[in-house]
Amino acid sequence: MDPFSKKLLKELEQMQQHTGRILRTMSLPRMMSTEGGGWQPAVDIYEAEDSIYVHAELAGVVAESLKVTVDGQCVNISGLRQLPDHQTIACIHQLEIELGAFQRTLTLPAAVEVDGVESSYVNGMLMVTLPKRVRKGKVTIRITPGE
């Protein structure tokens, strides 16, 4: 195989490897700009019988800047990612890491008990555990006569 064909084949293989990453990051909410113009972290939502689990990829975000707000069937995650100040930078060769403030609001697949929510932030992953709201048995609804 000639050198040009080898190089072309190698570049096609690299493109194929990167295609999976590109498709994973192309969710509609992440592509749409937010009011503050911030970036959107990748988020996974899992549902179990009694809980909902939200995992957010937040590498480089300082834990003190994170804020998680839960309201019924929505969870809002916000924070700030900044890189350390590099006084000696003369030239940037590649710039892919999104910086600055972010906010991500997610609609959960079920209502949750706000009082039982727990979260942890380990190795750049925010994990939020949201217990599902338990229905309280049978309720009888009184019907009032109309006019």
Side-chain angles (χ1 to χ4, degrees), residues 74-137:
C74 288
V75 61
N76 185 329
I77 303 168
S78 61
L80 179 67
R81 175 162 58 196
Q82 294 178 317
L83 289 181
D85 189 22
H86 297 287
Q87 298 292 331
T88 60
I89 292 178
C91 180
I92 297 173
H93 292 279
Q94 189 162 331
L95 192 60
E96 295 180 1
I97 299 171
E98 297 178 84
L99 301 174
F102 69 90
Q103 179 174 334
R104 185 84 193 263
T105 301
L106 307 156
T107 302
L108 301 171
V112 296
E113 290 291 343
V114 177
D115 295 334
V117 175
E118 296 178 357
S119 68
S120 64
Y121 184 56
V122 179
N123 296 329
M125 289 295 291
L126 174 67
M127 293 158 279
V128 183
T129 302
L130 306 117
K132 288 183 184 178
R133 186 174 294 155
V134 180
R135 292 192 177 159
K136 309 253 191 226

Side-chain angles (χ1 to χ4, degrees), residues 17-27 30 42:
Q17 290 173 354
H18 294 291
T19 301
R21 180 175 183 216
I22 291 167
L23 291 175
R24 285 190 301 273
T25 61
M26 286 182 58
S27 68
R30 292 187 71 205

